[in-house]
Amino acid sequence: EPFLYKLVPTLVEIYGEEYAELIQRQRIIENTIFAEEKLFLNTLEIGLEHIEHLLQSYSRKGEKIFSGKDLFKLYGTYGFPFELTKELLTEKGYECDEEGFLQELEKDRNQSRETWKGKKLAVFLDPNLIPTTPTEFLGYLHLTSKSKIVGILDLEKPKQILKAGEKGILILKETPFYAESGGQIGDTGYIKTNTSVFQVLDTQKENDIYLHIGVVLSGEFQTGIEVIAEVEEQRRKLLTYHHSGTHLLHAALRRTLGTHVTQKASLVSHEYLRFDFSHPNPLQMEEILKIEEDVNNAISARVGVTTNIYDLETAKKTGALYFFEEKYGDKVRVVQMGEFSSEFCGGCHVSNTKEIEYFLIRKESSPGAGNRRIEALCGPKVIEYFQEEFQEIGYQIGEINSKLKEFFNNNEHFITVNLPNPKQIQQTFEEKGSKAVFEFRKLKQNLEMILDEKKNFLHQVKKQKESKLAQDLLSNQNILIEKIEKIGKFLFLSHNVENIKIEIVKELGDSLKNKFANIFFVVHVKNKDNAILFMAGKEAISHGLNCNELMKKTLPIVEGKGGGKIDMAQGSAKKIENFQQLLEALKRELQEK
């Protein structure tokens, strides 16, 4: 049965002070782990059944080598871990065709790399089924256009009609929808008639045929009818901000780090941009700030963005950046942003750098050896980022202040700072433009430093208090010893403690066990879980005492749960007001033994 999720409270107890989000999300973490364990146990159950069936077949044939295909079937179809399959088969005297398994695995990976587009290519490129005339793209200049449906797919085969509620693909004669390419994700929006609406959830393309993937919300669509195609405007704007921001970032990286920097991969979405580039070392904060400032200067310069179509050789002579590994056609589109950037690109861009408004690097990391990755935000997404960050910082300050008040019973050590509210952040950006990026970044860093200092201070003070409590608890054992009761063959002691780590109580229990081998020690630790601890000495165990069994038998009295070993068990109580009844039940158990 699932058990890993039960470790979460202990994890929170140990690390909760350092990682407050563990406390905030404890229930979510437990539920997630529990769900994963249940799913895995189900996978094991199904996998074991199939292994048994296969073994029966191998036994009948007298074969002792498990084929790569069967090994992969267990892994690929039923999700059964290869290592576990190998272990089980080895125990039963079978060999595993590991090389065959790896070949099947690689074959599957290659197939997975081929999306549905490749699989359906023969269908929608068959001239007898769907016209193969390239779709005319109008999206550089227009976000809405009239068009005509020249083909319909239901994700499996061509159709003549697509009805309400059905998913499918519409192919238009011309379209304003940008199809995913060059790192920029596909447009979304609507294709409409007077009586019907098709929601476009993604746009892809194969051989310049644009595929509008989505679902019919109302009415129906047939091949040959006239439609209105409408791109989701705000989303497209965000895409252009992030695509133009990517070009400015690429150029700024080369100016700051050197011309060895080249693009390795990129993602342009309406939420953020991601840019992978060749560079051997992690970026220093000074470099990040310089790159960020470079891009924001280009935005503030309000430079016009021009696009020109050249033949390939002429385009190369313009000095525009291009990628040797890319395949270009006879005609190439060059996107230029004044002196700041010039690149080969077929994507959608702003008409002036001022439209990007603001640029922020939110993360720098490595996707693999020799390369670095930057995630960045443009336009309104930068404002949203700081609004969310300061809201989170405000929440953390409130949590720390609450703990400080609880600890010191006053507000002497409170963090007292004026946090900008969402409206103030918005106003500052409107007034100062991209300069607000640096201002809010510095404020955020300062606040995070103050938070860390206070967390460390609170941690140290708590450790000192816990150390004193531990010393007091361990040094005042004589007072506890006076409370010991003799019940049959056992010495019985119960105790209540507040705001102390369970590990300290265990130390006390070990000390008592060394002094009294026949002791049975019960402790209630008053914390958010109302922890219960049972401990027994060696002699008590020899007389038949078992902490684990006692806990499972008596903890239901306090609506608790727990368990452990023969000499120590730990649990928690929901109905701690019944603790006295628990003690009485334990005494009866001791008397009976």
Side-chain angles (χ1 to χ4, degrees):
E1 62 182 30
F3 66 93
L4 285 171
Y5 77 97
K6 296 176 183 176
L7 299 176
V8 175
T10 306
L11 182 76
V12 171
E13 184 182 333
I14 295 168
Y15 291 110
E17 289 178 13
E18 288 78 12
Y19 303 97
E21 59 270 26
L22 286 175
I23 298 170
Q24 297 157 19
R25 299 180 175 89
Q26 179 176 341
R27 190 60 55 204
I28 296 170
I29 296 167
E30 285 178 8
N31 291 342
T32 302
I33 295 174
F34 179 79
E36 287 292 333
E37 285 192 89
K38 287 283 283 184
L39 184 63
F40 183 66
L41 289 171
N42 187 51
T43 297
L44 287 183
E45 191 176 336
I46 295 168
L48 286 169
E49 286 178 16
H50 284 280
I51 285 177
E52 286 304 319
H53 288 311
L54 286 167
L55 284 174
Q56 288 170 17
S57 172
Y58 275 78
S59 180
R60 283 194 299 270
K61 295 174 187 175
E63 296 176 357
K64 281 293 182 180
I65 300 176
F66 223 69
S67 76
K69 281 191 176 181
D70 286 335
L71 288 167
F72 183 74
K73 185 178 181 182
L74 287 164
Y75 172 78
T77 306
Y78 304 110
F80 204 80
F82 171 71
E83 293 78 9
L84 193 52
T85 305
K86 185 180 175 184
E87 190 176 328
L88 289 169
L89 293 174
T90 303
E91 284 177 6
K92 293 182 182 292
Y94 287 85
E95 290 182 38
C96 293
D97 178 12
E98 287 192 48
E99 191 175 332
F101 168 78
L102 293 172
Q103 286 173 0
E104 291 295 320
L105 181 64
E106 187 58 32
K107 195 188 299 180
D108 181 72
R109 283 174 176 165
N110 289 333
Q111 287 172 351
S112 296
R113 290 185 191 111
E114 296 174 15
T115 63
W116 65 267
K117 295 177 291 179
K119 293 174 186 175
K120 306 298 184 279
L121 197 59
V123 176
F124 58 74
L125 292 188
D126 187 334
N128 298 316
L129 300 173
I130 293 174
T132 56
T133 306
T135 309
E136 184 183 353
F137 178 59
L138 309 173
Y140 290 135
L141 299 175
H142 306 285
L143 294 182
T144 302
S145 71
K146 290 180 180 180
S147 191
K148 182 180 180 181
I149 297 176
V150 294
I152 298 177
L153 289 171
D154 67 354
L155 304 182
E156 290 292 339
K157 57 188 180 298
K159 294 189 73 169
Q160 290 301 310
I161 189 167
L162 210 57
K163 297 182 179 180
E166 292 184 333
K167 295 178 181 178
I169 299 166
L170 299 185
I171 301 173
L172 306 182
K173 185 180 178 184
E174 55 269 311
T175 182
F177 286 83
Y178 182 84
E180 182 174 327
S181 62
Q184 182 178 324
I185 64 173
D187 279 332
T188 60
Y190 298 93
I191 295 171
K192 302 176 180 178
T193 68
N194 290 334
T195 56
S196 307
V197 179
F198 179 87
Q199 184 179 14
V200 180
L201 302 172
D202 189 17
T203 309
Q204 299 286 336
K205 70 176 177 180
E206 282 292 341
N207 289 3
D208 293 326
I209 297 171
Y210 283 56
L211 311 167
H212 306 83
I213 305 159
V215 60
V216 180
L217 299 182
S218 63
E220 61 182 37
F221 289 84
Q222 297 179 42
T223 305
I225 67 169
E226 301 287 333
V227 293
I228 299 291
E230 297 177 355
V231 173
E232 194 177 331
E233 185 176 357
Q234 188 55 35
R235 185 176 179 276
R236 167 68 85 79
K237 280 185 179 178
L238 290 168
L239 280 163
T240 62
Y241 301 162
H242 287 116
H243 204 150
S244 297
T246 300
H247 280 220
L248 293 175
L249 169 63
H250 191 182
L253 284 166
R254 288 169 65 85
R255 280 191 288 270
T256 304
L257 304 177
T259 53
H260 65 279
V261 169
T262 55
Q263 178 178 323
K264 292 299 175 184
S266 74
L267 172 71
V268 177
S269 83
H270 55 294
E271 297 286 347
Y272 72 106
L273 70 88
R274 188 180 73 217
F275 189 77
D276 294 357
F277 58 98
S278 55
H279 188 63
N281 306 312
L283 270 61
Q284 301 300 310
M285 181 50 70
E286 297 78 21
E287 291 173 321
I288 289 172
L289 290 175
K290 188 175 180 182
I291 292 160
E292 195 174 80
E293 184 183 20
D294 190 324
V295 176
N296 279 313
N297 285 341
I299 293 168
S300 300
R302 297 169 170 255
V303 172
V305 178
T306 59
T307 56
N308 292 291
I309 308 294
Y310 300 104
D311 62 74
L312 184 57
E313 290 308 312
T314 304
K316 287 179 178 178
K317 291 174 184 175
T318 65
L321 278 178
Y322 62 94
F323 311 106
F324 291 98
E325 63 273 19
E326 288 287 328
K327 292 179 181 177
Y328 297 103
D330 295 333
K331 297 293 182 180
V332 179
R333 185 169 179 261
V334 175
V335 177
Q336 183 154 1
M337 303 177 191
E339 297 299 315
F340 294 100
S341 168
S342 183
E343 275 191 40
F344 287 20
C345 183
C348 301
H349 289 274
V350 296
S351 58
N352 189 294
T353 58
K354 69 179 180 182
E355 294 170 41
I356 304 170
E357 296 185 302
Y358 331 107
F359 175 85
L360 167 81
I361 296 174
R362 74 173 181 189
K363 187 179 179 183
E364 191 270 346
S365 61
S366 172
N371 293 322
R372 303 303 301 174
R373 168 174 290 171
I374 279 177
E375 289 181 16
L377 304 169
C378 294
K381 292 296 176 183
V382 177
I383 298 175
E384 288 175 21
Y385 169 82
F386 281 117
Q387 287 172 334
E388 289 169 6
E389 287 294 301
F390 285 118
Q391 192 171 12
E392 176 62 25
I393 288 170
Y395 174 76
Q396 289 184 37
I397 288 173
E399 288 278 296
I400 286 287
N401 285 347
S402 177
K403 288 179 182 177
L404 288 166
K405 186 170 184 179
E406 183 183 324
F407 203 82
F408 293 102
N409 208 25
N410 59 46
N411 60 3
E412 182 185 349
H413 298 283
F414 271 20
I415 299 174
T416 52
V417 291
N418 292 320
L419 283 174
N421 61 43
K423 190 176 180 181
Q424 289 170 331
I425 293 169
Q426 178 84 38
Q427 287 174 341
T428 304
F429 270 99
E430 288 172 359
E431 291 167 9
K432 299 186 177 181
S434 58
K435 289 181 181 177
V437 173
F438 181 76
E439 184 178 309
F440 282 125
R441 182 189 273 282
K442 292 300 291 182
L443 177 59
K444 179 174 173 284
Q445 287 174 340
N446 290 336
L447 290 171
E448 286 171 341
M449 190 166 64
I450 292 168
L451 265 171
D452 286 341
E453 287 172 356
K454 282 294 180 185
K455 283 177 184 176
N456 289 333
F457 168 71
L458 188 61
H459 181 63
Q460 292 302 320
V461 173
K462 275 190 173 182
K463 277 178 69 176
Q464 290 169 9
K465 186 174 181 181
E466 282 171 0
S467 177
K468 187 175 185 309
L469 283 170
Q471 288 172 6
D472 291 346
L473 191 63
L474 294 169
S475 61
N476 293 327
Q477 285 184 46
N478 292 335
I479 299 170
L480 284 178
I481 291 169
E482 290 173 8
K483 293 169 59 182
I484 292 176
E485 300 177 52
K486 185 136 185 10
I487 302 175
K489 304 170 187 174
F490 308 98
L491 295 179
F492 179 75
L493 174 63
S494 67
H495 189 49
N496 293 296
V497 292
E498 277 188 71
N499 297 322
I500 195 165
K501 284 189 174 179
I502 199 86
E503 286 78 10
I504 295 167
V505 182
K506 288 175 184 175
E507 281 184 42
L508 172 64
D510 288 336
S511 177
L512 290 167
K513 281 160 60 178
N514 289 333
K515 290 180 180 176
F516 307 99
N518 60 338
I519 196 167
F520 179 59
F521 185 37
V522 180
V523 186
H524 164 219
V525 183
K526 293 179 183 176
N527 55 22
K528 61 183 176 62
D529 294 318
N530 279 311
I532 305 285
L533 184 70
F534 292 2
M535 296 182 76
K538 285 182 181 178
E539 194 176 318
I541 293 166
S542 70
H543 290 314
L545 211 60
N546 185 316
C547 292
N548 182 48
E549 288 178 3
L550 273 176
M551 180 159 279
K552 290 191 180 299
K553 191 172 183 179
T554 60
L555 224 52
I557 295 169
V558 289
E559 293 184 9
K561 56 183 180 180
K565 298 180 291 184
I566 193 170
D567 63 334
M568 183 176 73
Q570 185 179 331
S572 59
K574 285 184 181 177
K575 211 168 183 179
I576 199 60
E577 59 268 26
N578 291 350
F579 185 63
Q580 193 57 41
Q581 294 175 35
L582 172 72
L583 295 178
E584 295 302 322
L586 288 168
K587 288 178 183 180
R588 286 194 297 272
E589 290 287 333
L590 296 183
Q591 193 69 55
E592 288 174 13
K593 288 187 183 296

